[in-house]
Amino acid sequence: MTYKITAPSRIDTTIKLPASKSISNRALIINALAGAEITPANLSNCDDTEVMVRALRDNPYEIDIKAAGTAMRFMTAYLAVTPGEHVITGTERMRHRPIKVLVDTLRYLGADIEYIGEEGFPPLKIRGKTLEGGKAEMPGDVSSQYVSAMLMIAPVLSNGLELHLTGNIISRPYIDLTIHIMHDYGARVEWTDVDTIVTEPSGYQGRDFVIENDWSGASYWYETLALLGDSESKVYLPGLIDASRQGDSGVRYLFSMLGVKTQFEDMTNICPTTVTLKAMRSMLPRLDFDFSGQPDLAQTFVVTCAAMNIPFRFTGLATLRIKESDRINALKREMSKLGFVIREENNSELVWDGERCTPTMDPIDTYEDHRMAMAFAPAAIKFPGLKINAPEVVTKSYPAFWEDLRHAGFIIEEE
């Protein structure tokens, strides 16, 4: 399937964003470890959360998490401390996404995990049992999801866990998000040094828990307003929290430099608020930023800055290689279709200094990667008739994305 997208010149709309996938998936694991009978409220309805809901509810011998990387990492740790034998697998791409760092750390603590196929990659056979815990070390510069997976099981380890992270710790806001949700469920866990997290064997306490809406999903509406550059356009986004622990909530500060103003209607931070986005003209000559804390925003800003003719140097992108696609190469290839020559440097940086090439306007390929589709869709504002292949990939995190674009006035035709 291919979508052809025609953008409006002005929008004034209210969008109900999906619930946060990051919070949903953490809350599901912690809720299960707490033995709670109450399911967290306002769970995300995206593919990545649905596979976890089914796995935890049905407890099948073989768990197919499809393309859900978060679910693979979190469920691997969960199954290692939960009685029973399981095989966990996924899509072809998932079977080539590394998991050795997590498996090695779990095995060091006594977990019974074996590789069914290629060493270091799913699928895995896991025989769950009680683990003692203690002290462990793992790289902090590969994936914060490995760290979060270890932290979430730490309160149910007999001796708790002292986890030392080596190297440059990436995506620290996501680790802090995990710790924050653990606190909500009664766990005793703290950073005791810049690279060490200590969790006591406190267990978890079941409780009512409501998932806030997704700041990552909001980023595409910020992008839309930035590209429109129309001072009369507005987007209302209910259910976002000003003091959110979501790492991608920092999107509002970055987009303020690109001319998008964020206004919260309720500043009490007690309950979800409504965010109002308004566009202004940006005079930013260049944007240099380290995305190691928010790597999922990189695609959005590559597309936005280039389309706004703002040169950039984005660093901290090493983890983009092992996401749903090799996002560094995917961005270079697809941006060239729009006439932009994006350079890769040091295997972890993307640079655009204004160099152009002849645009082909071939349909944008999405590489089974939801964020490729959503980051490129607003570019139809600058490139009328933009086409996107396999648009259905958005169900991974934002199932209603295309319906929301139509609601905002975009014309989306299937070809």
Side-chain angles (χ1 to χ4, degrees):
M1 187 192 308
T2 299
Y3 279 171
K4 178 182 178 182
I5 307 170
T6 304
S9 59
R10 176 168 295 170
I11 62 174
D12 187 342
T13 188
T14 298
I15 299 297
K16 186 183 184 303
L17 292 168
S20 167
K21 174 169 69 81
S22 298
I23 297 177
S24 293
N25 291 0
R26 286 162 171 79
L28 280 169
I29 292 292
I30 293 172
N31 197 65
L33 290 170
E37 296 181 358
I38 303 172
T39 301
N42 194 39
L43 274 174
S44 171
N45 65 344
C46 71
D47 292 349
D48 281 18
T49 298
E50 286 294 328
V51 295
M52 288 188 64
V53 169
R54 287 196 297 270
L56 293 168
R57 180 191 63 213
D58 301 339
N59 194 33
Y61 171 71
E62 180 171 303
I63 298 172
D64 182 0
I65 54 78
K66 303 185 185 300
T70 306
M72 173 60 74
R73 282 78 178 260
F74 291 179
M75 289 297 299
T76 293
Y78 171 80
L79 294 173
V81 298
T82 303
E85 180 177 305
H86 296 85
V87 168
I88 185 166
T89 187
T91 61
E92 179 67 22
R93 170 66 181 172
M94 183 57 62
R95 293 194 292 272
H96 290 89
R97 295 181 69 178
I99 198 166
K100 185 175 187 298
V101 167
L102 177 59
V103 171
D104 284 353
T105 308
L106 288 166
R107 281 176 166 176
Y108 177 77
L109 296 177
D112 187 349
I113 304 175
E114 64 178 280
Y115 295 107
I116 293 177
E118 185 178 355
E119 187 82 6
F121 301 89
L124 308 172
K125 179 178 283 187
I126 304 173
R127 299 175 183 87
K129 61 181 181 178
T130 299
L131 300 181
E132 290 188 1
K135 295 184 178 181
E137 182 177 279
M138 73 187 310
D141 58 356
V142 179
S143 172
S144 67
Q145 291 177 7
Y146 298 153
V147 180
S148 290
M150 292 303 304
L151 290 178
M152 285 189 288
I153 65 168
V156 303
L157 304 181
S158 301
N159 298 319
L161 180 66
E162 179 179 318
L163 186 63
H164 176 70
L165 304 178
T166 61
N168 179 42
I169 301 171
I170 60 173
S171 300
R172 192 183 287 261
Y174 285 92
I175 300 173
D176 291 336
L177 175 65
T178 302
I179 292 173
H180 178 67
I181 300 172
M182 291 170 67
H183 284 160
D184 285 342
Y185 278 86
R188 295 193 293 272
V189 52
E190 303 292 345
W191 288 94
T192 59
D193 206 337
V194 294
D195 56 5
T196 304
I197 306 168
V198 174
T199 308
E200 298 180 28
S202 55
Y204 290 113
Q205 300 167 8
R207 54 157 292 180
D208 292 337
F209 192 84
V210 180
I211 311 297
E212 63 186 84
N213 284 353
D214 185 34
W215 274 101
S216 302
S219 71
Y220 308 111
W221 295 102
Y222 277 89
E223 177 184 1
T224 298
L225 282 185
L227 294 180
L228 280 173
D230 171 51
S231 61
E232 299 300 316
S233 289
K234 301 184 186 68
V235 177
Y236 303 92
L237 302 173
L240 294 175
I241 296 176
D242 188 11
S244 174
R245 299 300 183 101
Q246 294 180 56
D248 287 354
S249 64
V251 70
R252 65 188 191 266
Y253 303 117
L254 282 168
F255 267 105
S256 68
M257 294 185 286
L258 299 182
V260 183
K261 180 182 178 182
T262 304
Q263 179 180 338
F264 290 86
E265 287 190 6
D266 176 6
M267 300 303 289
T268 65
N269 300 327
I270 296 174
C271 61
T273 58
T274 294
V275 168
T276 302
L277 305 183
K278 296 182 179 180
M280 302 175 291
R281 184 173 296 278
S282 172
M283 303 300 291
L284 189 72
R286 179 183 179 87
L287 180 61
D288 293 345
F289 190 75
D290 180 354
F291 279 97
S292 57
Q294 298 102 354
D296 285 343
L297 295 179
Q299 288 145 296
T300 304
F301 279 91
V302 166
V303 177
T304 304
C305 287
M308 294 179 70
N309 202 34
I310 299 173
F312 59 80
R313 176 181 292 273
F314 296 153
T315 59
L317 305 180
T319 60
L320 267 59
R321 294 285 191 197
I322 59 171
K323 294 286 188 176
E324 286 82 346
S325 65
D326 179 343
R327 290 176 172 172
I328 288 179
N329 278 332
L331 281 167
K332 288 166 56 182
R333 283 194 294 267
E334 302 313 306
M335 289 301 292
S336 69
K337 295 177 180 178
L338 302 183
F340 301 99
V341 179
I342 310 295
R343 297 200 322 274
E344 170 195 348
E345 295 184 1
N346 304 316
N347 204 37
S348 62
E349 301 177 12
L350 286 173
V351 181
W352 185 59
D353 56 12
E355 185 179 356
R356 304 281 188 137
C357 59
T358 302
T360 65
M361 293 306 296
D362 290 338
I364 300 297
D365 289 315
T366 50
Y367 306 86
E368 299 183 354
D369 186 341
H370 55 137
R371 300 203 187 280
M372 288 297 291
M374 293 187 289
F376 275 88
I381 295 166
K382 299 292 187 180
F383 299 92
L386 179 84
K387 297 179 181 180
I388 294 183
N389 287 330
E392 65 276 6
V393 294
V394 301
T395 60
K396 181 176 173 61
S397 65
Y398 191 162
F401 179 73
W402 298 113
E403 289 78 3
D404 285 350
L405 280 185
R406 289 188 176 100
H407 177 72
F410 284 76
I411 298 172
I412 301 172
E413 302 170 279
E414 184 176 335
E415 294 194 341

